[in-house]
Amino acid sequence: MKINKLSIAVLFLSGSVFYAQETKQDTITKEKKIEGVVIQGSSNKKTETAVLGEQKKAIVQKQAVSAEEISRKGISNVEQGLTKVTGITTVEGRGLFVRGLEERYNYLLINGLGSPSNNPFQKIIALKQFPTDVVGKLNIYKTFNSNLYGDFAGATFDIETLTIDKPFTKVEFSVGVNTLSTFRDNFKVAEGADGMNGYLGLNSRDRRLPSEVRNATPTNYRFTPNESLNSFKDSWNVDNVKTMPNTSIGFTTVQKIKAGETGNLGVLFSLNQSTKYSYREGDNNQYRNNGPSIELSNLLNKKEYEYETESSVLLGLGYKNKGTNVNLNAIYLQNSSNIIEDFTGYKNGQVLDQRFFRTNQQDISRFLDLQLTASQKVGERHQFRAGASYVINSYSQPDRKIFELTKPEDYTHALISYGGNSFIRQYLDVNGRFYGSAFGEYSVFLGDKGERKDYPLQVSIGYNGFTDIRKNSYRFIFGNPGTGASSVYIDIDRPQDTLNKSISNNQLYYNEGSDSYSYLSNIYQFVNAGYANINYKPSETWDILLGGRFENDMRVIRFNRPGNSKREDITPNKNYFLPSLSIKKSLNNKNNIRLSLSKTITRPVLIETMPIEYINPDNSSILGNANIQNSENYNVDLKWEYFPTNKEMFAVNLFAKKIDKAIERSMAPSANASGVVVTFYNAEKATLAGVELEGILNLGRFSESLDKFTLGANATFMYTDVKRSEDQFKTERPDGYTNEQLHRRGLQGASPYTINGDLKYEYKNSKNFSKTFSLVYNVSGSKIYAVGGSGSDNYYERPFHQLDFVYQNQIDKNWNVKFRVQNILNSKYRVELGDNNYYTMNTNGNYSLNNYFNGVTFNFTVGYTF
């Protein structure tokens, strides 16, 4: 990274203000006692010991990752941090899995306030975008309480931003190299994407729809030669560069100001910027039913080049005076991924027709979350909390360019024919038109404390809800043959000059090919809920929390079917009563028994319900199901916890769930009989049962020489079973088979086991500065990536073993260094067709849907605090 980029990063704060004027969107609101930027608490709240003590006392089943643990394990973003918790794994760009459940079953809070997704392909924000420099603690709720939103089955995550404990300023710089991508020659990036505009994410402006059609209904508009040359600001060319190391830079400052005799005003400002290069190469295949056999439809090799920039800004203000707390947060996130994908091989079973095709795309998301929360204590018995948040949110894939030709011998002199979809430009935009949310809660403490620390009874009543309005647009522009010769030779990396000459000679022109009706859809969601909690503590050893939540969920989806001018509305409107019960019995000061019962719901990911068919160049597509329904979940947990010391713990948790209308991803034949479509169905029901095991153990128990070693391990083992719906039977049932002959299967996305572990060695010098060495490992078992279509088995995501090494040294009160080796084992990521097919396999032993290596990453970080 160039030195002048430090000052450039400061532009992002002002950039977020301009962005706020440009786009409108999301946020939601919430409960709980979590405060974002407050002038309270001690630094002990950030320690692993303090977090363990909080887990021990909480009535709900709550786990956390402290700021101390985040630092020790070299965790650079929130997603990495959450994978250190029992039963949680991350799966290659598809979010977090909790107890083997897909990301759609999770929910996200930021400082106790709900947060929408900034990506239609994910249920929650890509948490790798949250740098841990701004995180004080990560909370994970695995059991439901009525003041949490009802969208809950796997877990609710709560990101607490830094609390203002004491003033400090910190600057941190990181540099990393990857064995596959760093110092790679001929790394392909879109023209100009690696320049300053690309670094700031501003190159997306040149990729927007041309002004001639941007705000108009599609009418098969034909661009004139002049418009074809000048209205498209982004080039088909790619640059071949030598990749530099991945870099990141962060700046955080916290200041406290006295406000009156008893009040304090705190200010927090944090700015982070990072760049990353990634290279992947591997199979990208498809399978199809050909009568009584399964054969390869596609046999492709895929090379992916990704240049990614991430930016974040956090501005926090906090005021505290006796029983009053007021907090204002502004969080801005921007992610820009510039991706080039090259494919070689055959499609649609045309073995002799070897092809080359390229995708040149940018995925860009912007997210600005404005939060205001306040709490007020009135005497010792009354407390009021209220808050609101508003999110400005957008996601787009502007000018996703695809071209295709017969695989050439000379890539600098390759013959391509105009027409036949050889040049396509796609434009996907998902914009929030409005997102607002609010919450309010009143709590009263009843009874007499006596000799106890707490009142025996707390009653809370409250409201939370949100409104989410989104507008989705998906459009296409095609390159078509004009007059004269329709075939030309191009340099695949520099085709723009040849295309410009063809346009000037009327051999090529652009016209919009979007459907005039189905290109646009709107999704509205309104959630309003009232809740009540009664927390009864009959004695020091019993804690009972009874809750009830009444939630109204109304969704409106407005869309047109292709070629049909009639607007359709799907308006599911449902009321849910969601009870919850949590009981904790302290057997003594070291042992707890917990029981939790609840009913919750699960809402689909946006892409799962969007009425569009998202098209890929390999003839695969993703088709939303506008008729998808919310799942209804019945949950039970029984847990024993043992805390032998304040730094150790052991736990066993038995859990079970029944999920009515479970949502599952499926592979189905596409409507045009070529390729496959990924779509989504409700199962009739799914049942699952499992056990979670967790332990933190100081090895000094076995020998004094091992006193500086601590072993942490957790594991989840689970069984699942699905009862298919009629829609699923139609897709999965092969010709000649009955429903009863179909193989039993588990829940899509559910892993039979998940294992996380870390071994820590910690040494403190005479000045009490610590040096730690950690080995961190995690893996999950084979899970169904997508349910198979007629005649085939399911597609399985195979185990991915990850082992990291982390070294951290607090040299003195100012300097800190970290060194991390990530993915030491360099396992191959694999999605494969199972071998329990109904029909004979005729694929020459090839079962791979896709696979690739990520390489090993070495990262060095140095920080200075003053």
Side-chain angles (χ1 to χ4, degrees):
M1 176 183 292
K2 298 178 181 178
I3 298 299
N4 63 5
K5 290 183 180 177
L6 173 61
S7 60
I8 293 296
V10 179
L11 294 174
F12 279 101
L13 183 61
S14 58
S16 67
V17 175
F18 287 110
Y19 173 70
Q21 299 172 0
E22 184 178 302
T23 315
K24 297 180 180 179
Q25 193 158 313
D26 311 89
T27 206
I28 103 183
T29 269
K30 206 127 167 59
E31 85 308 335
K32 220 55 189 156
K33 199 173 182 177
I34 298 160
E35 297 161 342
V37 182
V38 292
I39 310 173
Q40 116 172 13
S42 69
S43 59
N44 288 335
K45 286 190 173 184
K46 300 177 182 179
T47 67
E48 294 179 70
T49 301
V51 165
L52 204 59
E54 185 179 347
Q55 178 180 332
K56 178 180 177 182
K57 291 186 293 183
I59 173 61
V60 295
Q61 289 192 29
K62 174 184 173 183
Q63 293 174 272
V65 182
S66 67
E68 181 183 89
E69 185 177 4
I70 287 169
S71 176
R72 174 177 67 80
K73 292 181 178 179
I75 296 167
S76 61
N77 61 65
V78 168
E79 184 176 87
Q80 291 176 1
L82 289 171
T83 61
K84 313 310 172 190
V85 176
T86 307
I88 299 180
T89 56
T90 181
V91 181
E92 286 301 289
R94 295 198 293 111
L96 292 163
F97 284 50
V98 179
R99 293 175 174 174
L101 295 177
E102 284 255 55
E103 190 204 38
R104 74 171 68 87
Y105 293 98
N106 302 327
Y107 198 74
L108 176 67
L109 308 174
I110 303 174
N111 294 318
L113 291 163
S115 173
S117 175
N118 60 347
N119 187 329
F121 299 94
Q122 293 183 291
K123 180 69 171 283
I124 60 180
I125 294 171
L127 295 178
K128 67 184 182 67
Q129 295 182 31
F130 263 95
T132 49
D133 282 350
V134 303
V135 175
K137 189 171 59 174
L138 305 177
N139 296 309
I140 303 95
Y141 297 90
K142 289 189 181 177
T143 58
F144 177 68
N145 182 36
S146 61
N147 61 354
L148 298 173
Y149 277 93
D151 194 349
F152 183 109
T156 291
F157 306 125
D158 187 6
I159 302 171
E160 290 188 43
T161 52
L162 283 174
T163 55
I164 302 174
D165 299 320
K166 59 181 180 179
F168 74 91
T169 299
K170 178 183 178 183
V171 178
E172 192 169 72
F173 178 76
S174 177
V175 60
V177 297
N178 178 274
T179 55
L180 287 181
S181 59
T182 308
F183 303 123
R184 189 179 191 91
D185 291 319
N186 297 320
F187 187 95
K188 300 184 185 301
V189 295
E191 190 173 58
D194 62 333
M196 188 54 65
N197 277 348
Y199 181 78
L200 297 175
L202 300 178
N203 59 322
S204 62
R205 296 180 303 182
D206 292 336
R207 303 181 69 129
R208 293 180 299 171
L209 265 172
S211 58
E212 289 85 356
V213 297
R214 187 179 305 155
N215 298 311
T217 300
T219 57
N220 200 33
Y221 183 85
R222 177 168 174 164
F223 292 83
T224 66
N226 183 60
E227 291 169 341
S228 293
L229 289 171
N230 298 303
S231 296
F232 298 89
K233 306 299 183 183
D234 194 59
S235 169
W236 287 86
N237 292 346
V238 302
D239 292 331
N240 288 281
V241 302
K242 187 180 185 69
T243 56
M244 294 292 101
N246 303 325
T247 58
S248 67
I249 190 166
F251 171 81
T252 302
T253 185
V254 173
Q255 303 298 327
K256 293 177 68 173
I257 305 169
K258 197 74 175 175
E261 293 187 5
T262 59
N264 285 292
L265 179 67
V267 180
L268 166 65
F269 175 72
S270 182
L271 183 108
N272 293 270
Q273 175 73 21
S274 66
T275 62
K276 180 182 178 182
Y277 294 90
S278 300
Y279 173 78
R280 294 169 173 171
E281 181 176 357
D283 298 329
N284 191 94
N285 302 327
Q286 289 180 20
Y287 301 85
R288 65 183 182 184
N289 167 12
N290 186 14
S293 68
I294 303 296
E295 66 180 24
L296 282 163
S297 176
N298 288 6
L299 184 62
L300 296 170
N301 174 267
K302 175 182 172 183
K303 296 179 181 179
E304 179 181 279
Y305 309 81
E306 180 177 10
Y307 172 65
E308 184 176 22
T309 65
E310 292 183 344
S311 313
S312 68
V313 180
L314 170 62
L315 176 63
L317 301 174
Y319 173 76
K320 182 180 180 182
N321 188 0
K322 294 183 179 179
T324 303
N325 284 281
V326 180
N327 301 286
L328 174 66
N329 281 329
I331 303 169
Y332 177 70
L333 303 175
Q334 178 176 287
N335 176 272
S336 174
S337 291
N338 294 275
I339 303 169
I340 304 295
E341 295 175 333
D342 285 349
F343 301 80
T344 54
Y346 69 80
K347 299 190 296 184
N348 301 331
Q350 303 298 313
V351 178
L352 300 180
D353 185 14
Q354 294 292 306
R355 311 291 291 173
F356 171 84
F357 50 100
R358 168 175 289 171
T359 300
N360 177 340
Q361 75 181 57
Q362 180 184 27
D363 296 3
I364 186 160
S365 63
R366 297 183 176 96
F367 178 91
L368 177 62
D369 189 352
L370 305 176
Q371 304 178 338
L372 176 64
T373 60
S375 66
Q376 177 67 55
K377 287 184 178 180
V378 180
E380 290 191 359
R381 292 183 178 266
H382 304 275
Q383 183 171 13
F384 296 88
R385 286 198 294 268
S389 59
Y390 177 71
V391 175
I392 301 169
N393 193 13
S394 74
Y395 172 90
S396 64
Q397 286 183 350
D399 201 0
R400 185 187 189 219
K401 294 183 284 294
I402 301 166
F403 71 82
E404 180 174 345
L405 65 156
T406 299
K407 182 181 176 182
E409 293 184 4
D410 181 357
Y411 283 87
T412 65
H413 192 68
L415 183 65
I416 190 168
S417 298
Y418 298 140
N421 295 335
S422 56
F423 287 92
I424 303 175
R425 311 178 91 127
Q426 299 178 3
Y427 299 82
L428 173 66
D429 291 286
V430 180
N431 288 312
R433 308 290 287 180
F434 175 81
Y435 191 105
S437 63
F439 79 86
E441 183 180 274
Y442 165 70
S443 297
V444 60
F445 299 88
L446 304 174
D448 295 319
K449 284 186 181 180
E451 300 296 322
R452 297 187 300 179
K453 298 178 181 178
D454 302 310
Y455 288 102
L457 186 65
Q458 178 184 352
V459 178
S460 301
I461 58 172
Y463 160 86
N464 51 33
F466 67 84
T467 297
D468 185 3
I469 300 175
R470 301 188 188 229
K471 178 182 178 181
N472 314 304
S473 173
Y474 190 38
R475 301 175 75 156
F476 298 84
I477 291 176
F478 296 91
N480 289 322
T483 59
S486 60
S487 296
V488 294
Y489 286 94
I490 62 170
D491 178 341
I492 64 167
D493 288 341
R494 317 297 297 175
Q496 190 64 56
D497 285 344
T498 302
L499 299 183
N500 288 346
K501 291 177 182 178
S502 295
I503 291 170
S504 299
N505 296 331
N506 293 316
Q507 291 176 261
L508 174 70
Y509 68 91
Y510 291 117
N511 77 284
E512 179 166 10
S514 311
D515 185 85
S516 299
Y517 307 108
S518 63
Y519 80 99
L520 187 66
S521 63
N522 297 86
I523 298 179
Y524 309 81
Q525 188 157 28
F526 309 92
V527 171
N528 292 280
Y531 62 85
N533 283 326
I534 299 174
N535 190 186
Y536 178 49
K537 300 177 181 179
S539 69
E540 291 283 2
T541 62
W542 283 95
D543 200 344
I544 302 170
L545 180 63
L546 177 65
R549 179 181 182 87
F550 181 82
E551 186 165 301
N552 174 258
D553 184 331
M554 183 172 130
R555 190 187 319 143
V556 178
I557 302 175
R558 292 181 174 169
F559 68 103
N560 294 74
R561 300 189 187 277
N564 192 334
S565 62
K566 181 181 179 182
R567 196 75 166 160
E568 295 188 29
D569 287 353
I570 297 177
T571 57
N573 185 0
K574 195 161 184 179
N575 297 318
Y576 298 95
F577 176 63
L578 306 175
S580 63
L581 174 65
S582 295
I583 301 172
K584 186 185 80 171
K585 169 63 176 174
S586 298
L587 303 178
N588 51 47
N589 65 350
K590 293 185 177 181
N591 289 272
N592 292 332
I593 296 289
R594 300 175 181 272
L595 174 67
S596 298
L597 305 168
S598 65
K599 179 185 177 183
T600 59
I601 61 175
T602 297
R603 300 184 181 97
V605 182
L606 185 61
I607 192 65
E608 296 175 347
T609 192
M610 283 175 64
I612 67 168
E613 185 170 1
Y614 177 82
I615 297 171
N616 293 308
D618 62 354
N619 285 343
S620 67
S621 60
I622 303 174
L623 179 63
N625 180 356
N627 293 303
I628 206 81
Q629 299 181 55
N630 294 342
S631 302
E632 298 186 30
N633 320 306
Y634 300 85
N635 317 290
V636 57
D637 289 77
L638 178 62
K639 186 176 186 179
W640 168 70
E641 298 172 326
Y642 173 52
F643 300 85
T645 68
N646 65 352
K647 294 183 178 180
E648 297 177 304
M649 68 90 66
F650 300 94
V652 179
N653 185 33
L654 303 175
F655 65 91
K657 296 178 184 289
K658 181 169 83 77
I659 304 177
D660 290 338
K661 302 174 186 174
I663 301 169
E664 296 190 295
R665 179 189 299 106
S666 295
M667 291 277 196
S670 65
N672 61 11
S674 64
V676 296
V677 61
V678 176
T679 191
F680 309 90
Y681 298 113
N682 289 111
E684 184 173 325
K685 69 176 181 178
T687 55
L688 60 91
V691 59
E692 292 179 315
L693 309 172
E694 182 176 14
I696 303 172
L697 177 68
N698 185 284
L699 299 186
R701 287 178 168 272
F702 305 106
S703 170
E704 286 189 11
S705 62
L706 299 176
D707 186 60
K708 293 181 174 60
F709 288 91
T710 301
L711 177 64
N714 58 68
T716 303
F717 301 94
M718 182 171 59
Y719 166 81
T720 65
D721 184 68
V722 166
K723 184 175 182 181
R724 298 171 175 89
S725 65
E726 188 54 41
D727 284 339
Q728 290 180 312
F729 276 126
K730 291 177 182 177
T731 299
E732 296 181 50
R733 185 175 56 235
D735 291 340
Y737 284 74
T738 65
N739 291 349
E740 291 72 23
Q741 290 176 298
L742 295 186
H743 306 148
R744 292 186 67 175
R745 63 171 177 82
L747 178 65
Q748 181 267 314
S751 174
Y753 66 85
T754 300
I755 299 172
N756 298 320
D758 73 274
L759 178 65
K760 175 184 75 169
Y761 172 85
E762 182 174 17
Y763 166 78
K764 291 188 177 181
N765 63 20
S766 58
K767 295 183 179 180
N768 206 35
F769 295 121
S770 65
K771 181 186 299 183
T772 61
F773 301 82
S774 300
L775 278 174
V776 184
Y777 170 80
N778 52 30
V779 67
S780 61
S782 289
K783 61 184 75 70
I784 298 176
Y785 168 79
V787 177
S790 58
S792 74
D793 195 1
N794 306 306
Y795 296 85
Y796 292 89
E797 200 160 28
R798 299 305 187 188
F800 183 88
H801 300 266
Q802 178 147 337
L803 178 66
D804 300 341
F805 169 77
V806 182
Y807 165 76
Q808 176 174 286
N809 186 2
Q810 185 70 45
I811 298 172
D812 57 29
K813 66 178 183 179
N814 301 115
W815 290 98
N816 174 273
V817 296
K818 301 176 189 176
F819 176 70
R820 181 179 185 184
V821 185
Q822 186 176 2
N823 195 28
I824 294 171
L825 302 176
N826 197 19
S827 295
K828 178 181 280 190
Y829 174 75
R830 297 175 297 146
V831 177
E832 297 176 341
L833 179 63
D835 57 7
N836 191 20
N837 295 279
Y838 299 92
Y839 294 157
T840 302
M841 287 291 293
N842 184 23
T843 62
N844 296 321
N846 191 325
Y847 286 80
S848 178
L849 184 72
N850 56 67
N851 58 48
Y852 51 82
F853 289 102
N854 285 314
V856 183
T857 299
F858 300 84
N859 190 270
F860 177 76
T861 303
V862 59
Y864 184 80
T865 303
F866 52 93

